Amino acid sequence: MTVQQPVSVLFFKVFLNSATQVPHDLCSKDGQKHMDYILTYSTKKLFSDLHPSLSLKEKTCCLSCCQPCKQSLRSQEEEKVLCREEFEDNLKKMGLHLEKDESNRISGVGFLKIHAPWDILCREAEFLKLKMPTKEFYQATPQHKMRKLNAFFKRITAPLLPNVGDTETEDIKKVCYPFSREKLHLFDLSDMDSFFDTKTRSLIVSIGELEAGLFLKGSRSKKSSRWNYTVCMQCRTLTVNLFLQVLYREWASYSNFYKYQPISLIRKYFGEKIGLYFAWLGLYTQMLIFAAIVGVLVFLYGCITVDDDIPSMEICDKRNNITMCPLCDKSCSYWKLTMACGTARASHLFDSTATVLFSIFMALWAAMFMESWKRRQMRLNYMWDLTNFEEEEVSNEYFAALHAKAAKLTWRDRMPAYMTFIFLMTFAILFGVIIYRVTTQASLQMSSMPSIRANVRLTVKSTAVIINVVVILILDEVYSKIARWLTILEVPKTDKSFEQRLILKTFILKFLNAFSPIFYIAFIRGKTANTASSYGVLFKQSFSPQCAHTGCLMELCIQLSITMLGKQLIQNNLFEIGIPKLKKLIRRIKTKRAPVQEEQDDKDLKRYEADFFLEPFVSLNPEYMEMIIQFGFVTLFVASFPLAPLFALLNNVIEIRLDAKKFVAELRRPVAARAKDIGIWYNLLRGISKAAIIVNAFVIAFTSDFIPRLVYQYGYSPDGTMHGFINHTLSYFNVSHFQAETHPLQPLHLGYKVEVCRYKDYRMAPWSFNPYDISKVYWAILAGRLAFVIIFQNVVMLLSDFVDWVIPDIPKEIITRIYEEKMQMVEFFMREEHSLYSMPMLDNQDENRPTPQLRRS
């Protein structure tokens, strides 16, 4: 868990990430030891520097007991110095080797280099139960039936593989075993310097740093515990720098957008947790290819059949002289149905029979994606020897201390306040956008310019959506701070609990922020007004804006597309590219260096000095959150926007290389964290995929005209076709029945007096026995909609569960290989143990005794 700290913390810790090749940078002064970890600290001249002869105990006594000295010291800075010295003493007691470097090119900053000797690495590796490579190799024998198919597949995909020279495969791998100092003869110790790679060494030293911080005495143990010692710089050998250069060339290059990612190399450099993220992102992007292709075909089908769509042809036919009722109070006037011709034709592109089939396909696609990831994740666990790994929950001392104070407050006490605050803030913004729509439309309708009145709906829609996107982007940053604040109030006991609660709160807030306007348009807008007992009451309700005649589906499509593109282009890409560049420019202005001079100075810096100026790695949560929200856009309302998978695919192709460049060149190298899955993010994905089935069922049934068309064609059409559908959906209204102060201000806008106008609803005519009551057709359509929701939801969920059942979570070949590898490990263990204990016996036996008999004994 990472808790933000002020700039004046005791240590400002960063990771090495520069590709400069200077052999002596990361070695000790004697050139015998490679440094594994680096801490940075302030080198201000304080009391302890003016009195170097005082011991640590004397300085502590002077600071805490001696009042004259206490008055003359800058107590806060001195306390940090004492904490640092005691912390360094604890590191030395643990067996780590320390070396300071204060004569560097960065003024006011000192570097503490840490080296972990061989015995410390062995001790901690045994304690952590790290699986290390043995002398034994396991080679899987591919099935005869799949051998030719695998060879053909490798030839086809050869141009898509990155040129990294990585030989790690599933077929040939070293057998790994939990490290033990008593079983050193089992492991491959031919190169002891590289037996523990840099990510493993940094992980071990970081744990040692944590333990050293926990042993600080007195009040300093509270002030300088682990949250004051964030991640530090990792030291890299020449091999690691070569890894970085290969990653920059083959992974972070936009010219290689069509190639697979070097996941194994990413894992070797950044660790399993980051490797799993990019593996998941790569699989998600690959699966989007199929969804994007089908979505484009659905859109093309709508384009091809738009000229054959009878309802849109009837709307565009000028011979149908249909006068429509105003869409708002007073400022709106009567209008001709032919004015909705463009909107009707555009709606058909997304509202067709193919859209229903595409919704079913996307539900099955989501199930296939989830199952494919589980299988992919299991393969990676096997390749990375994480099949038996269990993550331990680390207690957070700061929150554990506060937990006693907050024990009286439970989540039941906090939840009402949390949810009330969240919903009030979200719907306040939504209500503001609704008010903007109503007031802007009313003011533009009263304009004296005909060109403005003719484009009122387009102007209001586009400006409202743009404002909404801007508000969403701003609130996303605000909600991130609120989610962290709410999580801290809950004082979770462990880091894992803190992270899970933070992720869940952030997801809920950002999900409501992004999707509340879309849910409003899909299920609320234009629905409440038509529940009045008479249509005339509609014009008395000022805050019931109506959709166009063709329904809210087109407006939903516009809202979804602009919101999705706005978040991806502005928040996800421009921010990720522009903010680091802006910070670099500000740093250049502060240092008052020209670009050429800064570039030359950067070349002269040592590797860890250059990495000191890079941005710190915080966590993977923003990256995951970005993709989870996108997954919601792709699946939840895909019935209204079939091109969403295509836009997501194009974004992710850029996103992968953008993230790669950010991790390789702009961020400090993070501590390699181990993980065997993506954690709570999988549960969120699964929840969204299940909710998408229900949401798309309601969108098709209640937002589109799919069900009304079916009911008309098979229940009310005289010839079984769609001819007359538009007239069937329109009801009559006598303009003399307008409520007071709701008449149009320009009743002669069309050039003649209107006595009866039409509106989209299923109600009785004004001359009937029960004027404006709901007709029987309305109830028939409502029954059809509810029946469709029930049938669609159950059928699609059944198909999704069938896909889940048919595809096993663990590939059969992986189960076989795990079993074979375990058997081979047992044989290797017994063989090595037998040879180890038989060698001393051979030395002590009589030379005349036959060797076979000795071996049998």
Side-chain angles (χ1 to χ4, degrees), residues 165 538 635 637 662 668:
L538 163 68
T635 56
F637 292 91
K662 180 174 64 176
R668 301 166 193 149

Side-chain angles (χ1 to χ4, degrees), residues 562-573:
I562 295 181
T563 303
M564 183 178 180
L565 291 177
K567 283 183 65 66
Q568 289 183 349
L569 294 179
I570 300 175
Q571 187 179 39
N572 300 346
N573 292 332

Side-chain angles (χ1 to χ4, degrees), residues 80 82 87 106 120 176 230 232 241 272 286 291 347 426 434 485 491 519 611 714 748 834:
K80 293 178 182 180
L82 294 178
F87 174 76
I106 305 176
I120 302 299
C176 293
T230 55
C232 318
N241 283 319
E272 287 79 6
Q286 293 174 30
S347 297
T426 301
I434 295 173
W485 173 67
V491 287
F519 273 95
D611 289 345
Y714 296 103
L748 301 178
H834 182 75

Side-chain angles (χ1 to χ4, degrees), residues 464-729:
V465 172
I466 293 174
I467 293 173
N468 197 15
V469 170
V470 174
V471 171
I472 288 174
L473 296 178
I474 295 174
L475 287 183
D476 268 352
E477 302 301 320
V478 176
Y479 284 159
S480 298
K481 306 296 183 182
I482 293 176
R484 176 171 291 275
W485 173 67
L486 293 176
T487 307
I488 292 175
L489 289 180
E490 293 182 354
V491 287
K493 292 183 178 180
T494 62
D495 290 349
K496 185 176 181 180
S497 176
F498 180 92
E499 185 178 18
Q500 289 181 347
R501 296 185 186 193
L502 176 62
I503 290 172
L504 186 59
K505 289 179 179 59
T506 307
F507 170 75
I508 293 175
L509 287 171
K510 292 194 174 184
F511 183 87
L512 290 175
N513 184 36
F515 288 96
S516 56
I518 299 174
F519 273 95
Y520 164 75
I521 294 175
F523 304 119
I524 300 177
R525 181 176 171 84
K527 305 295 190 300
T528 58
N530 291 340
T531 60
S533 59
S534 72
Y535 184 69
V537 180
L538 163 68
F539 300 99
K540 195 175 181 180
Q541 300 177 3
S542 301
F543 298 107
S544 296
Q546 303 297 297
C547 295
H549 171 77
T550 53
C552 295
L553 190 68
M554 191 62 199
E555 191 168 342
L556 176 62
C557 176
I558 295 173
Q559 176 76 35
L560 184 63
S561 59
I562 295 181
T563 303
M564 183 178 180
L565 291 177
K567 283 183 65 66
Q568 289 183 349
L569 294 179
I570 300 175
Q571 187 179 39
N572 300 346
N573 292 332
L574 292 182
F575 282 6
E576 292 186 11
I577 296 174
I579 291 179
K581 300 291 184 183
L582 181 61
K583 289 183 178 180
K584 186 176 181 180
L585 178 61
I586 294 174
R587 185 172 64 250
R588 180 183 300 169
I589 295 174
K590 287 183 178 181
T591 56
K592 298 180 180 180
R593 292 186 297 172
V596 178
Q597 180 185 357
E598 183 181 13
E599 183 178 356
Q600 182 62 36
D601 291 343
D602 291 344
K603 290 181 179 179
D604 297 336
L605 291 176
K606 299 177 182 178
R607 277 178 290 202
Y608 54 85
E609 293 174 345
D611 289 345
F612 177 80
F613 293 103
L614 296 178
E615 290 296 315
F617 171 80
V618 180
S619 71
L620 284 172
N621 292 346
E623 311 297 334
Y624 271 116
M625 190 65 66
E626 172 186 335
M627 291 296 107
I628 297 297
I629 296 297
Q630 184 200 86
F631 184 78
F633 283 120
V634 169
T635 56
L636 284 175
F637 292 91
V638 73
S640 62
F641 189 44
L643 295 180
L646 176 63
F647 290 161
L649 173 63
L650 297 177
N651 173 80
N652 288 5
V653 169
I654 301 174
E655 180 72 19
I656 289 176
R657 306 302 162 177
L658 181 63
D659 285 347
K661 195 168 185 178
K662 180 174 64 176
F663 272 83
V664 171
E666 297 177 2
L667 295 180
R668 301 166 193 149
R669 186 183 179 190
V671 173
R674 295 186 297 167
K676 63 183 302 182
D677 52 41
I678 60 176
I680 193 176
W681 299 109
Y682 179 82
N683 299 330
L684 295 178
L685 285 170
R686 192 170 185 83
I688 291 176
S689 62
K690 294 298 183 183
I693 299 175
I694 302 174
V695 171
N696 282 300
F698 276 92
V699 169
I700 295 172
F702 289 90
T703 308
S704 71
D705 282 337
F706 178 74
I707 299 300
R709 292 186 184 192
L710 287 181
V711 172
Y712 173 77
Q713 184 174 0
Y714 296 103
Y716 295 94
S717 176
D719 54 359
T721 65
M722 293 301 297
H723 290 285
F725 172 73
I726 296 300
N727 185 66
H728 178 74
T729 61

